[in-house]
Amino acid sequence: MMDSFPVGGVPDVRFWAEQGGMLLKQARHAARMRQKELAGVSGTSRTTLSAYEHGRKSPTLETAGRILDAAGFRLALEPKEGFSAGVADDGRPFSVPGHLPRLTVAEALGTLRLGGRIYDLADRGERREAYSALLCEGGPRELLDHVDGVLLVELWEELELPAAVRTAWAPLIEQARRGG
Protein backbone atom coordinates (compact mmCIF):
# COMPACT_ATOMS: atom_id res chain seq x y z
CA MET A 1 0.00 0.00 0.00
CA MET A 2 2.89 2.32 -0.74
CA ASP A 3 0.65 4.54 -2.86
CA SER A 4 -1.00 5.69 0.40
CA PHE A 5 2.23 7.43 1.36
CA PRO A 6 2.59 10.77 -0.42
CA VAL A 7 5.89 12.56 -0.90
CA GLY A 8 7.55 12.99 2.50
CA GLY A 9 6.49 9.54 3.77
CA VAL A 10 3.42 10.63 5.77
CA PRO A 11 0.39 8.35 5.30
CA ASP A 12 -2.76 10.01 4.01
CA VAL A 13 -6.15 10.01 5.76
CA ARG A 14 -7.44 7.04 3.73
CA PHE A 15 -4.49 4.92 4.89
CA TRP A 16 -5.26 5.60 8.56
CA ALA A 17 -8.99 5.03 8.06
CA GLU A 18 -8.24 1.64 6.50
CA GLN A 19 -5.76 0.72 9.28
CA GLY A 20 -8.27 1.73 11.96
CA GLY A 21 -11.00 -0.22 10.19
CA MET A 22 -8.85 -3.34 10.13
CA LEU A 23 -8.13 -2.91 13.84
CA LEU A 24 -11.84 -2.68 14.70
CA LYS A 25 -12.64 -5.67 12.52
CA GLN A 26 -9.84 -7.74 14.09
CA ALA A 27 -11.10 -6.88 17.57
CA ARG A 28 -14.65 -7.85 16.62
CA HIS A 29 -13.51 -11.17 15.12
CA ALA A 30 -11.33 -11.93 18.15
CA ALA A 31 -14.36 -11.28 20.37
CA ARG A 32 -16.43 -13.59 18.12
CA MET A 33 -19.07 -10.90 17.69
CA ARG A 34 -21.21 -10.00 14.72
CA GLN A 35 -21.34 -6.37 13.58
CA LYS A 36 -24.90 -5.94 14.86
CA GLU A 37 -23.97 -7.28 18.30
CA LEU A 38 -20.83 -5.12 18.69
CA ALA A 39 -22.65 -2.07 17.36
CA GLY A 40 -25.43 -2.51 19.90
CA VAL A 41 -23.09 -3.04 22.84
CA SER A 42 -20.86 -0.12 21.87
CA GLY A 43 -23.68 2.35 21.21
CA THR A 44 -23.29 2.77 17.46
CA SER A 45 -25.26 1.53 14.47
CA ARG A 46 -24.32 -1.53 12.42
CA THR A 47 -24.03 0.57 9.25
CA THR A 48 -21.69 3.02 10.96
CA LEU A 49 -19.56 0.18 12.36
CA SER A 50 -19.41 -1.34 8.87
CA ALA A 51 -18.29 2.02 7.44
CA TYR A 52 -15.54 2.19 10.09
CA GLU A 53 -14.41 -1.38 9.39
CA HIS A 54 -14.21 -0.73 5.64
CA GLY A 55 -12.35 2.58 6.02
CA ARG A 56 -15.20 4.66 4.60
CA LYS A 57 -15.50 6.62 7.85
CA SER A 58 -13.12 7.32 10.72
CA PRO A 59 -14.35 7.18 14.32
CA THR A 60 -13.17 9.67 16.90
CA LEU A 61 -10.70 8.30 19.44
CA GLU A 62 -13.51 8.24 21.99
CA THR A 63 -15.72 6.18 19.67
CA ALA A 64 -12.90 3.82 18.67
CA GLY A 65 -12.07 3.32 22.35
CA ARG A 66 -15.72 2.60 23.16
CA ILE A 67 -15.99 0.02 20.33
CA LEU A 68 -12.73 -1.68 21.29
CA ASP A 69 -13.78 -1.71 24.96
CA ALA A 70 -17.08 -3.37 24.02
CA ALA A 71 -15.08 -6.05 22.16
CA GLY A 72 -12.89 -6.62 25.21
CA PHE A 73 -9.85 -4.58 24.17
CA ARG A 74 -8.43 -1.22 25.11
CA LEU A 75 -6.93 1.55 23.07
CA ALA A 76 -3.34 2.15 24.22
CA LEU A 77 -0.41 4.36 23.33
CA GLU A 78 2.86 2.52 22.79
CA PRO A 79 6.17 3.88 21.55
CA LYS A 80 7.26 3.02 18.04
CA GLU A 81 10.09 0.55 18.05
CA GLY A 82 12.94 1.97 16.02
CA PHE A 83 16.12 -0.02 15.36
CA SER A 84 19.47 0.79 13.89
CA ALA A 85 21.66 -1.77 12.19
CA GLY A 86 25.31 -2.37 12.89
CA VAL A 87 28.00 -4.65 11.55
CA ALA A 88 30.15 -6.65 13.96
CA ASP A 89 33.90 -7.03 13.61
CA ASP A 90 33.37 -10.35 11.83
CA GLY A 91 31.00 -8.78 9.28
CA ARG A 92 27.75 -10.13 10.79
CA PRO A 93 24.85 -7.68 11.09
CA PHE A 94 23.23 -6.88 14.44
CA SER A 95 20.34 -4.70 15.60
CA VAL A 96 20.16 -2.02 18.30
CA PRO A 97 16.79 -0.69 19.55
CA GLY A 98 16.08 3.02 19.98
CA HIS A 99 15.41 2.41 23.68
CA LEU A 100 15.76 -0.45 26.14
CA PRO A 101 12.63 -2.59 26.30
CA ARG A 102 10.91 -3.49 29.58
CA LEU A 103 9.29 -6.89 29.83
CA THR A 104 6.80 -8.48 32.17
CA VAL A 105 8.34 -10.78 34.77
CA ALA A 106 7.06 -13.83 32.87
CA GLU A 107 8.67 -12.62 29.63
CA ALA A 108 11.93 -11.54 31.25
CA LEU A 109 12.39 -14.80 33.16
CA GLY A 110 10.92 -17.22 30.62
CA THR A 111 12.72 -19.48 28.18
CA LEU A 112 14.38 -18.63 24.89
CA ARG A 113 15.23 -20.90 21.97
CA LEU A 114 18.14 -19.43 20.01
CA GLY A 115 20.57 -21.13 17.67
CA GLY A 116 19.36 -24.63 18.56
CA ARG A 117 19.75 -24.01 22.29
CA ILE A 118 17.16 -23.36 24.98
CA TYR A 119 18.05 -20.78 27.63
CA ASP A 120 16.32 -20.47 31.00
CA LEU A 121 16.28 -16.70 31.48
CA ALA A 122 15.43 -17.10 35.17
CA ASP A 123 18.95 -18.51 35.64
CA ARG A 124 21.41 -15.58 35.79
CA GLY A 125 24.24 -17.46 34.09
CA GLU A 126 22.02 -18.65 31.24
CA ARG A 127 20.53 -15.16 30.91
CA ARG A 128 24.07 -13.74 30.60
CA GLU A 129 24.88 -16.22 27.81
CA ALA A 130 21.53 -15.60 26.11
CA TYR A 131 21.92 -11.81 26.24
CA SER A 132 25.45 -12.04 24.81
CA ALA A 133 24.07 -14.11 21.92
CA LEU A 134 20.96 -11.96 21.44
CA LEU A 135 22.85 -8.68 21.28
CA CYS A 136 25.14 -10.14 18.62
CA GLU A 137 22.69 -12.27 16.63
CA GLY A 138 19.15 -11.37 17.63
CA GLY A 139 16.80 -9.59 15.29
CA PRO A 140 14.43 -6.82 16.39
CA ARG A 141 11.60 -9.20 17.34
CA GLU A 142 13.87 -11.44 19.43
CA LEU A 143 15.38 -8.44 21.21
CA LEU A 144 11.96 -6.98 22.04
CA ASP A 145 10.63 -10.35 23.20
CA HIS A 146 13.55 -11.48 25.37
CA VAL A 147 15.86 -8.64 26.49
CA ASP A 148 14.74 -6.68 29.53
CA GLY A 149 16.47 -3.32 29.89
CA VAL A 150 16.92 -3.47 33.67
CA LEU A 151 18.33 -7.00 33.56
CA LEU A 152 20.60 -6.03 30.67
CA VAL A 153 22.04 -3.07 32.57
CA GLU A 154 22.62 -5.30 35.59
CA LEU A 155 24.57 -7.86 33.45
CA TRP A 156 26.27 -5.37 31.11
CA GLU A 157 29.82 -5.60 32.50
CA GLU A 158 29.73 -9.41 32.40
CA LEU A 159 28.54 -9.83 28.79
CA GLU A 160 31.01 -11.17 26.24
CA LEU A 161 30.48 -8.88 23.26
CA PRO A 162 32.51 -7.88 20.21
CA ALA A 163 33.78 -4.29 20.41
CA ALA A 164 31.40 -3.01 17.71
CA VAL A 165 28.36 -4.48 19.47
CA ARG A 166 29.42 -3.13 22.88
CA THR A 167 30.08 0.32 21.41
CA ALA A 168 26.69 0.42 19.65
CA TRP A 169 24.74 -0.62 22.77
CA ALA A 170 26.77 1.46 25.29
CA PRO A 171 24.77 4.72 24.87
CA LEU A 172 21.54 2.90 25.80
CA ILE A 173 23.15 1.42 28.89
CA GLU A 174 24.57 4.79 29.96
CA GLN A 175 21.21 6.50 29.38
CA ALA A 176 19.47 3.87 31.51
CA ARG A 177 22.03 4.28 34.30
CA ARG A 178 21.42 8.04 34.31
CA GLY A 179 17.70 7.35 34.68
CA GLY A 180 16.74 8.30 31.11
Side-chain angles (χ1 to χ4, degrees), residues 23-24 27 38 42 63-75:
L23 180 71
L24 294 175
L38 181 56
S42 66
T63 300
R66 193 176 67 244
I67 293 168
L68 289 170
D69 185 64
F73 293 88
R74 64 184 169 96
L75 190 58

Side-chain angles (χ1 to χ4, degrees), residues 4-96:
S4 293
F5 287 81
V7 177
V10 178
D12 66 16
V13 173
R14 190 179 86 236
F15 171 82
W16 290 115
E18 290 169 355
Q19 294 300 303
M22 284 191 299
L23 180 71
L24 294 175
K25 190 173 188 175
Q26 287 173 342
R28 180 173 60 80
H29 282 246
R32 294 180 169 27
M33 298 175 86
R34 297 171 92 53
Q35 277 184 343
K36 185 175 182 179
E37 180 184 6
L38 181 56
V41 175
S42 66
T44 192
S45 71
R46 192 209 57 78
T47 55
T48 299
L49 179 58
S50 176
Y52 293 154
E53 287 186 2
H54 290 91
R56 294 188 306 266
K57 287 180 75 174
S58 294
T60 63
L61 280 176
E62 177 186 351
T63 300
R66 193 176 67 244
I67 293 168
L68 289 170
D69 185 64
F73 293 88
R74 64 184 169 96
L75 190 58
L77 177 68
E78 293 182 357
K80 246 181 168 177
E81 300 298 341
F83 282 82
S84 58
V87 179
D89 307 331
D90 63 3
R92 288 188 295 178
F94 64 90
S95 298
V96 181

